[in-house]
Amino acid sequence: MKFLILAGGHGTRLWPISTAEKPKQFQSFVSNRTLIQMAFDRIKDLVPVQDIFVSSNVEYATYIREQLPEIPDKNIILEPQKRDTCPGISYAMQYIAQHSDLDETVSIIYSDHLIQNTPEFQKALITGHSTAKTNKKFTIIEVKAKFPNPNLGYAKIGKQVHDSKHFPIYELDHFTEKPDVETAKTYLESYKYLWNTGYYIWRIDHYFENLQKYSKEVFEVTQKIQTFPATKELYQQFPKISLDYSLIEKMPASEIWIIPADLGWSDIGTWNSLFQELTHSDNVTEGQVDHLESKNCLIINKNPNYKITAINTKDLAIIQNGDQILVCNMNSDNLIKQYLNSQNGS
């Protein structure tokens, strides 16, 4: 049982705290631990630290070593450049395969998600590893949708194929990528539609069998990589393509099994999703903050030398970090990305 923490994303919708130079997985939002440290904390008791790997880009190596000093340096797998998730995961899987038995199972762990029910997550992981190893299926842990979310993918469960000690296990019916709001509302009425978390578990040999069958171009480049780190010239031969498009969506639904679990999960992809996970009252605040007659506001102040005061405000994200202050409607995630693109000349 091995774990691969993915830590190469940017998370631009959480600007100005999450930036390309120091993205959200290396920032703290909900505790004094950063998101990647919290991801490590959830799995560190399940296996020896030698069985936990981190995949990221070379530009984030210093953050990983600083924030996860427990991880052996040889377990930090650094991509020479970004080529999207299928090359990144396949590159890391090739490295793990060289240091493992091929019938070992690997679990994908995201460094920038929030999971509030750690015991449930751990039970689901153990169940998933056992299921993937015994049945030679891609197994994925999914969660019930809590509200209509057009920014997430959905998985529809099919027939029940197994009943483990803690969870029923279902065959996938199909995935839906980021439906519109009205469609997402209809999904909310059915127990069969779950949010797609991306927490896959697979056997090493089974991963490469499917990669060879459905994503031959990525597989062929992967097989050329026999020493690590790979040269930039070799790594550039990978196409830029996501795991979902290159592999998962091409596999028969019968080859993907789903474990529904109640994780208290959020991908914290937007200020609104962070607010939804943290809200226990009218407002969520961090740092030197005062408010009066304000409602449904997320106010984060990272500067201890200043105070933010909000009066008669509603549905706002007010975020201070460094020399930047963001004030926006809570649902302005796409506009934040649009603004950053305009500043970068994209």
Side-chain angles (χ1 to χ4, degrees):
M1 187 163 69
K2 299 185 184 297
F3 294 92
L4 176 62
I5 300 174
L6 304 184
H10 276 166
T12 53
R13 287 187 177 91
L14 291 180
W15 180 86
I17 292 180
S18 180
T19 64
E21 292 75 26
K22 192 176 183 181
K24 63 178 178 173
Q25 59 267 30
F26 305 114
Q27 304 279 4
S28 61
F29 292 91
V30 297
S31 77
N32 59 356
R33 300 282 280 172
T34 64
L35 293 180
I36 193 172
Q37 289 172 327
M38 294 171 70
F40 173 76
D41 291 344
R42 293 183 201 111
I43 60 175
K44 67 181 181 181
D45 297 330
L46 298 179
V47 293
V49 72
Q50 291 80 7
D51 291 329
I52 300 175
F53 298 81
V54 180
S55 171
S56 189
N57 194 272
V58 290
E59 63 188 296
Y60 302 140
T62 299
Y63 293 132
I64 295 169
R65 294 186 176 110
E66 287 176 350
Q67 296 188 14
L68 296 179
E70 305 92 336
I71 298 290
D73 204 59
K74 64 183 179 63
N75 284 29
I76 301 173
I77 307 165
L78 300 173
E79 303 172 75
Q81 61 179 205
K82 290 182 179 295
R83 304 298 287 178
D84 216 325
T85 52
C86 191
I89 290 172
S90 299
Y91 179 66
M93 287 295 298
Q94 178 74 343
Y95 179 83
I96 294 172
Q98 292 182 5
H99 299 83
S100 313
D101 295 330
L102 295 183
D103 65 349
E104 288 247 35
T105 50
V106 177
S107 178
I108 300 299
I109 302 293
Y110 290 88
S111 62
D112 55 359
H113 290 183
L114 178 65
I115 292 176
Q116 302 194 67
N117 191 344
T118 295
E120 179 87 348
F121 185 49
Q122 292 176 338
K123 285 192 293 185
L125 286 170
I126 292 169
T127 300
H129 278 271
S130 174
T131 301
K133 189 175 183 71
T134 302
N135 298 282
K136 208 174 180 183
K137 301 289 184 181
F138 274 36
T139 306
I140 185 168
I141 301 167
E142 306 284 42
V143 298
K144 180 172 175 55
K146 290 181 284 187
F147 56 90
N149 192 333
N151 295 311
L152 293 177
Y154 287 71
K156 183 182 180 183
I157 59 174
K159 65 181 180 180
Q160 184 173 341
V161 291
H162 187 59
D163 195 5
S164 71
K165 180 180 179 181
H166 298 290
F167 306 94
I169 300 174
Y170 299 88
E171 188 176 273
L172 171 71
D173 185 284
H174 68 270
F175 288 114
T176 301
E177 180 65 18
K178 297 182 180 179
D180 59 55
V181 174
E182 292 306 312
T183 302
K185 286 180 180 177
T186 66
Y187 289 171
L188 199 61
E189 299 168 0
S190 171
Y191 75 93
K192 290 190 173 183
Y193 286 91
L194 307 174
W195 278 340
N196 184 10
T197 66
Y199 283 111
Y200 285 101
I201 305 164
W202 47 55
R203 280 173 43 153
I204 296 172
D205 55 359
H206 194 217
Y207 177 81
F208 284 109
E209 287 169 12
N210 283 281
L211 191 69
Q212 183 177 22
K213 187 182 296 186
Y214 300 111
S215 189
K216 193 172 182 181
E217 188 176 359
V218 173
F219 176 80
E220 289 177 348
V221 178
T222 302
Q223 296 309 294
K224 295 178 185 178
I225 300 172
Q226 298 300 320
T227 59
F228 290 80
T231 64
K232 185 176 289 189
E233 291 72 25
L234 177 54
Y235 203 80
Q236 284 176 338
Q237 295 180 27
F238 277 123
K240 286 187 176 181
I241 191 167
S242 72
L243 182 75
D244 288 340
Y245 287 124
S246 63
L247 177 58
I248 301 300
E249 292 179 4
K250 297 177 182 178
M251 292 177 61
S254 60
E255 291 299 306
I256 300 174
W257 286 8
I258 292 174
I259 299 173
D262 182 12
L263 304 181
W265 173 87
S266 172
D267 71 341
I268 317 185
T270 66
W271 290 121
N272 188 40
S273 63
L274 179 62
F275 176 79
Q276 294 294 335
E277 288 302 321
L278 298 181
T279 183
H280 300 293
S281 58
D282 284 344
N283 302 286
V284 175
T285 66
E286 178 189 328
Q288 296 288 329
V289 172
D290 275 345
H291 55 82
L292 178 66
E293 298 294 329
S294 293
K295 188 175 182 180
N296 297 334
C297 290
L298 173 66
I299 310 171
I300 298 177
N301 182 6
K302 293 289 188 178
N303 190 331
N305 298 316
Y306 294 92
K307 179 185 286 186
I308 294 176
T309 301
I311 299 176
N312 196 25
T313 55
K314 183 179 179 182
D315 300 327
L316 291 183
I318 304 172
I319 315 295
Q320 188 286 328
N321 187 45
D323 59 356
Q324 302 278 359
I325 299 176
L326 169 71
V327 180
C328 68
N329 182 276
M330 197 76 78
N331 296 305
S332 298
D333 45 289
N334 287 326
L335 290 176
I336 293 173
K337 190 171 184 179
Q338 181 179 324
Y339 167 75
L340 293 175
N341 288 338
S342 70
Q343 296 300 297
N344 295 330
S346 300

